[in-house]
Amino acid sequence: MGALSINDLNGPRSRVSDQESSEKDRKKAEEALLDSRQQLYQAQKMEALGTLVAGVAHEINNPLGLIIYNIPLFKKVWNDILPLMEEHAKRDPDRKYGGLTFDFLHENFNGLLSDVDMAANRVAKIVTDLKNFARQSNVLNKRVMQINTAVENAVRLAKTTVRKSGVDLAVRLGENLPSFQGDLQSIEQIVLNLVINSIQAIDHSRGKVEIVTGFQKDDGHLYLLVKDNGRGVSQSIADKIFDPFVTDKLAQGGTGLGLSVTYSLVNAHDGKISFESHEGAGATFRVTFPTIMRRKAAKILVVDDDVSIRRFLTEALVKDQPYLVDEASNGIEACIKLGTYRPDLLILDMFMPEMDGLEVCRTIRAEPKLSRMKVIITTGFPNHPKVKEVVSLGFADIYRKPYDLSEFLKIVGNILSQP
């Protein structure tokens, strides 16, 4: 059988004209530039606001503390003088205090003080949020972490809120996700803020919120999605939803700072946050984070007709390293992927139905664009004539099954480290 070319396998649909390809690249570059400018503008705006907010929060905090401290004292004074006022009211029933009758004060004064106390504590919460907002641009306690850990912790923290709201919360966590540098508490806060934001946007009895995590192989970023079936984001605030004090949830106790804090936390992790929404049809917030060494992360294609072996190798490869791993179930599928995908390492089973490892190696040799690809041939029959023919084609890295995982991972690391 003669060597097949990648174009033979991909067929005419993969032959995009140079002009169309160039136009797509130009549009993609323009979109990336616009997105970059918007992100920079928002980051600069948040930095300036953070400086202003820190000063305002400090100035409000001291007099506010005095109000909150004195309210319980006023309540005690009122309760102590109430018997005297009752006696005085019997002698002079028409006497007014601050323009108010004794009967009105007797019935409402404690309630008035409680309202002041509630309002002061609401302002205190806003001040706390302001201080948190001002601090978010400098997250120092970053460690290697898993995003799923933060999601699971945040879900536990949100359990009471979710239960009281009656909303159905679903969580779908991606498997074998790479690590990233993050502050666990801050990432938990991001998830919690987005979940609470979604719950507050739901004003019907069939509320659903979904949390999804996963990995984008094309750019090496983790993603976090928080979806809801609420009323959506109003068009009147859509372009400034991440600004402080912008909210359509005042009735639910929203301060308009949750998404601002979330934006700052995401930005502090070199991440991005965006949303899609239609009024009355819910919203989806998307957060992405760069993984460790994403620019240096090696791309690996695992080709084996045994699904259990593919899963076994994929899980092992991504467990402790930021490898970007893809899979193919046979030689034909592998060659189709190689038409557009350029892995740094191909882990190739020798004996597969339809198209075996030898034919894949012949196809690779026939394509100049694939000449630098590194290949590990895996087989239980290293002395088979086909294996010897593969070696004669220049593919000398042969690994004999069954797998010794630690040994195999060392071999993978050594091959990838070679120039």
Side-chain angles (χ1 to χ4, degrees):
M1 178 179 178
L4 298 173
S5 72
I6 297 298
N7 286 335
D8 290 334
L9 289 164
N10 286 337
R13 285 186 301 174
S14 68
R15 302 190 184 102
V16 181
S17 70
D18 292 341
Q19 185 176 358
E20 290 175 337
S21 179
S22 176
E23 181 66 17
K24 287 181 180 178
D25 290 343
R26 184 185 65 79
K27 288 183 178 180
K28 190 174 182 180
E30 289 177 351
E31 291 173 358
L33 179 61
L34 179 61
D35 181 62
S36 178
R37 285 176 177 171
Q38 290 174 339
Q39 291 285 337
L40 178 61
Y41 170 71
Q42 186 72 10
Q44 290 172 337
K45 182 168 62 175
M46 289 297 104
E47 184 176 357
L49 283 169
T51 303
L52 174 64
V53 160
V56 171
H58 176 75
E59 293 301 321
I60 294 176
N61 210 35
N62 290 332
L64 180 64
L66 192 62
I67 293 172
I68 293 175
Y69 176 78
N70 283 328
I71 286 175
L73 177 62
F74 291 147
K75 287 184 177 180
K76 289 181 180 179
V77 171
W78 169 253
N79 290 330
D80 286 345
I81 68 172
L82 185 57
L84 298 176
M85 294 186 69
E86 287 176 338
E87 291 295 326
H88 194 274
K90 290 177 183 178
R91 296 193 299 271
D92 187 4
D94 296 326
R95 175 73 182 270
K96 293 186 177 181
Y97 307 86
L100 301 172
T101 65
F102 171 75
D103 289 341
F104 179 87
L105 290 173
H106 186 268
E107 184 176 347
N108 295 289
F109 193 79
N110 277 321
L112 292 172
L113 282 179
S114 294
D115 288 345
V116 173
D117 188 33
M118 180 179 66
N121 278 283
R122 178 168 172 77
V123 175
K125 181 182 182 303
I126 293 174
V127 170
T128 299
D129 288 344
L130 285 171
K131 291 163 72 176
N132 288 337
F133 171 75
R135 284 199 297 261
Q136 298 315 323
S137 60
N138 187 23
V139 177
L140 298 177
N141 192 30
K142 293 183 181 179
R143 299 286 188 272
V144 176
M145 61 166 289
Q146 288 285 325
I147 191 171
N148 287 351
T149 302
V151 172
E152 289 167 348
N153 292 350
V155 168
R156 284 195 291 271
L157 291 171
K159 186 180 296 184
T160 300
T161 302
V162 173
R163 186 175 65 249
K164 288 181 178 179
S165 70
V167 165
D168 180 21
L169 177 63
V171 181
R172 292 195 293 114
L173 304 181
E175 297 181 354
N176 306 314
L177 300 182
S179 303
F180 75 111
Q181 288 278 357
D183 174 66
L184 179 60
Q185 186 175 359
S186 297
I187 304 301
E188 290 169 355
Q189 188 66 51
I190 290 170
V191 180
L192 194 60
N193 286 355
L194 291 176
V195 170
I196 291 174
N197 178 74
S198 289
I199 290 173
Q200 290 177 343
I202 296 171
D203 51 9
H204 53 79
S205 60
R206 305 174 307 282
K208 292 182 180 180
V209 175
E210 184 179 15
I211 305 174
V212 183
T213 61
F215 179 67
Q216 301 171 170
K217 292 183 179 179
D218 57 342
D219 63 3
H221 282 67
L222 294 164
Y223 65 82
L224 164 72
L225 304 179
V226 179
K227 310 176 185 180
D228 67 69
N229 64 344
R231 60 180 174 270
V233 178
S234 170
Q235 288 299 313
S236 63
I237 64 170
D239 60 341
K240 49 185 181 290
I241 194 170
F242 297 118
D243 292 353
F245 306 111
V246 175
T247 182
D248 58 358
K249 303 183 180 73
L250 289 174
Q252 292 92 347
T255 62
L257 284 168
L259 288 178
S260 298
V261 170
T262 301
Y263 177 91
S264 297
L265 283 171
V266 171
N267 189 60
H269 286 81
D270 300 318
K272 292 183 179 181
I273 181 170
S274 60
F275 73 94
E276 292 182 4
S277 176
H278 300 284
E279 285 195 57
T284 298
F285 282 82
R286 182 184 189 90
V287 181
T288 59
F289 297 109
T291 53
I292 298 173
M293 298 171 57
R294 70 181 186 279
R295 291 191 179 95
K296 298 180 181 178
K299 295 183 288 185
I300 300 175
L301 179 60
V302 177
V303 186
D304 200 299
D305 60 313
D306 189 326
V307 63
S308 62
I309 291 180
R310 293 201 307 273
R311 297 287 169 80
F312 166 74
L313 289 179
T314 298
E315 291 176 6
L317 288 165
V318 302
K319 183 178 180 181
D320 298 312
Q321 295 292 335
Y323 294 144
L324 310 180
V325 182
D326 200 356
E327 301 177 16
S329 61
N330 56 57
I332 292 176
E333 184 181 346
C335 287
I336 290 173
K337 289 194 173 187
L338 292 176
T340 55
Y341 179 66
R342 297 289 185 270
D344 299 292
L345 175 64
L346 180 66
I347 299 175
L348 180 63
D349 184 31
M350 188 67 225
F351 298 102
M352 297 177 290
E354 299 183 38
M355 185 177 186
D356 62 18
L358 174 59
E359 288 304 319
V360 175
C361 290
R362 286 174 176 164
T363 301
I364 292 172
R365 276 289 169 259
E367 290 289 336
K369 293 180 180 179
L370 304 178
S371 62
R372 293 180 176 271
M373 186 182 301
K374 299 170 182 177
V375 180
I376 298 178
I377 303 296
T378 63
T379 179
F381 307 96
N383 297 319
H384 195 280
K386 285 192 175 184
V387 176
K388 294 179 180 180
E389 189 172 348
V390 163
V391 173
S392 71
L393 290 172
F395 301 98
D397 291 305
I398 311 296
Y399 184 82
R400 180 170 184 167
K401 296 179 181 179
Y403 291 96
D404 179 325
L405 194 54
S406 60
E407 176 191 46
F408 184 73
L409 292 177
K410 287 180 182 178
I411 292 172
V412 169
N414 289 338
I415 291 177
L416 288 171
S417 65
Q418 295 172 4

